Amino acid sequence: MTLTQLRTMLKGMSEEQKNTFLLEYYKRLSKQDKEMFALLLELTKDNKPLPDKKAKIIDLKAAEKKYPAFVDGLFNYPYRSPNAQRKIKKQVKSFVDELPLMPPEAEGYEEALLFYKKVIALICLAAEDLGTYPAYFFRILGLSMVKCFDTLISMTLARKTTPDLLEDLVHFAGLTEIAEEDYEGIEILDHIANRIKNGDLRMEMLEHCESALTKESEVVELEAACPEQKSTRQAYSKFYLLLSEREGALEDACSFLKNTFGVQQANETISLYQKDMGKLRQVENQRIAQAMTTGN
């Protein structure tokens, strides 16, 4: 039935017939479809924008039941048969593709966001446990680490953008700082920075970074025993340099790092940041050149 046919049929029905139809149709929907129906009804009643047509209510209980096997599969991926590996890839793709479809207006949106975050974190941790680095393991699973993190950024900031949420994303991006030979980590931080459109918010975020880095300097001696601590500091430092450079205050940011962590350690971080940014700009230039070639 086309929309035109539906409109014609509805015009010919009485209010009582329409109500009977809607109530009967609602009774036959699944639990998730009933939630979506109610959400669309509420938003329409309040004259609010409706979710994307691809949006759907995710059955999080069903997803949670698959989670233990998913964890076991990831951490033992290299030791599984090719058929088992294909099933693991399929499950990962299912989580990564479906969880972001949950509309931000839905009651279970925060749970879906947390579940997605767990999936991404788990892939990073499994990569470290298997002696490889996250970006490579994402590719093995048929995924792009940057795209997955970009989706996480979008989901996290879908309702609002605050310094606390941005800081949480930067902290989480520290999971990617295991391999210095790749550029994906700085690209993710660059994507987070791109979401800060407001100048006041950018300045507030710089203050948050300075506060976080000052706290990190107090536990820097723990980094030898806890590599994750160093990864977190590196993520904050690079993001701080990235935002400062956009504000034309890179020199001041470098001075802050030297005063906070000492000249030698700060110079190592600054050098790594410059190296990563060089790789990122090179990749972006290659993408532009390729796009121009394809366009011609």
Side-chain angles (χ1 to χ4, degrees):
M1 178 183 292
T2 65
L3 282 174
T4 301
Q5 290 172 326
L6 177 61
R7 289 193 184 99
T8 301
M9 186 171 290
L10 289 173
K11 283 182 181 179
M13 294 171 64
S14 66
E15 287 300 315
E16 184 178 352
Q17 288 174 321
K18 290 177 184 178
N19 289 336
T20 301
F21 160 72
L22 283 172
L23 292 173
E24 189 59 36
Y25 178 74
Y26 180 78
K27 291 176 186 176
R28 302 185 186 201
L29 294 175
S30 66
K31 182 177 182 294
Q32 285 69 45
D33 287 338
K34 283 181 179 178
E35 289 183 31
M36 178 58 83
F37 185 96
L39 176 62
L40 292 175
L41 185 62
E42 189 69 29
L43 292 173
T44 301
K45 187 187 72 168
D46 295 338
N47 290 318
K48 293 182 178 179
L50 299 182
D52 186 88
K53 290 181 180 179
K54 293 181 180 179
K56 60 186 287 190
I57 302 297
I58 308 301
D59 188 345
L60 294 172
K61 288 185 178 179
E64 287 287 358
K65 289 180 181 178
K66 299 174 183 176
Y67 189 71
F70 169 68
V71 174
D72 181 68
L74 274 185
F75 279 83
N76 293 285
Y77 184 85
Y79 319 114
R80 297 296 174 86
S81 66
N83 186 50
Q85 288 181 349
R86 282 192 290 272
K87 289 182 179 179
I88 294 169
K89 284 183 179 180
K90 186 176 180 180
Q91 184 60 73
V92 174
K93 194 171 188 310
S94 174
F95 283 147
V96 168
D97 288 348
E98 291 194 6
L99 288 167
L101 297 179
M102 182 78 103
E105 302 85 0
E107 187 176 340
Y109 183 76
E110 290 297 333
E111 287 80 1
L113 170 59
L114 180 60
F115 198 106
Y116 186 88
K117 193 173 183 178
K118 284 199 303 183
V119 170
I120 302 306
L122 200 66
I123 297 173
C124 293
L125 295 173
E128 183 180 8
D129 188 71
L130 295 170
T132 184
Y133 55 98
Y136 178 69
F137 195 40
F138 270 88
R139 287 195 288 270
I140 286 178
L141 296 171
L143 302 169
S144 162
M145 184 177 76
V146 172
K147 287 183 179 179
C148 287
F149 268 85
D150 205 34
T151 299
L152 176 62
I153 295 168
S154 296
M155 291 180 71
T156 302
L157 305 179
R159 289 179 169 178
K160 57 184 178 180
T161 301
T162 66
D164 288 340
L165 290 175
L166 291 165
E167 190 173 338
D168 183 63
L169 286 168
V170 174
H171 184 89
F172 198 69
L175 290 172
T176 70
E177 296 296 303
I178 296 169
E180 295 183 0
E181 64 269 29
D182 244 355
Y183 68 90
E184 279 93 340
I186 195 69
E187 185 171 8
I188 290 168
L189 293 175
D190 186 60
H191 283 201
I192 298 172
N194 288 340
R195 302 303 176 105
I196 309 176
K197 308 295 185 184
N198 183 285
D200 290 339
L201 180 59
R202 189 179 297 111
M203 296 305 296
E204 192 173 352
M205 195 59 207
L206 281 168
E207 292 177 4
H208 271 245
C209 284
E210 288 181 356
S211 177
L213 287 168
T214 300
K215 290 178 183 178
E216 287 295 317
S217 69
E218 298 170 1
V219 293
V220 75
E221 66 274 7
L222 299 177
E223 291 180 0
C226 184
E228 292 82 3
Q229 193 72 42
K230 182 177 180 181
S231 296
T232 300
R233 176 176 62 81
Q234 292 282 26
Y236 274 115
S237 297
K238 289 180 182 179
F239 189 70
Y240 178 63
L241 291 169
L242 184 62
L243 283 185
S244 297
E245 186 169 9
R246 292 187 175 194
E247 287 292 316
L250 182 59
E251 189 174 336
D252 290 341
C254 291
S255 296
F256 172 80
L257 291 181
K258 289 174 184 178
N259 292 332
T260 304
F261 296 103
V263 175
Q264 182 179 349
Q265 193 171 77
N267 281 340
E268 289 177 0
T269 300
I270 294 165
S271 177
L272 184 59
Y273 166 76
Q274 292 171 336
K275 181 181 176 183
D276 286 351
M277 286 302 294
K279 291 178 185 174
L280 179 58
R281 291 185 182 113
Q282 183 180 2
V283 170
E284 288 178 342
N285 288 335
Q286 289 173 349
R287 287 172 181 166
I288 293 171
Q290 186 177 2
M292 291 178 65
T293 303
T294 305
N296 294 330

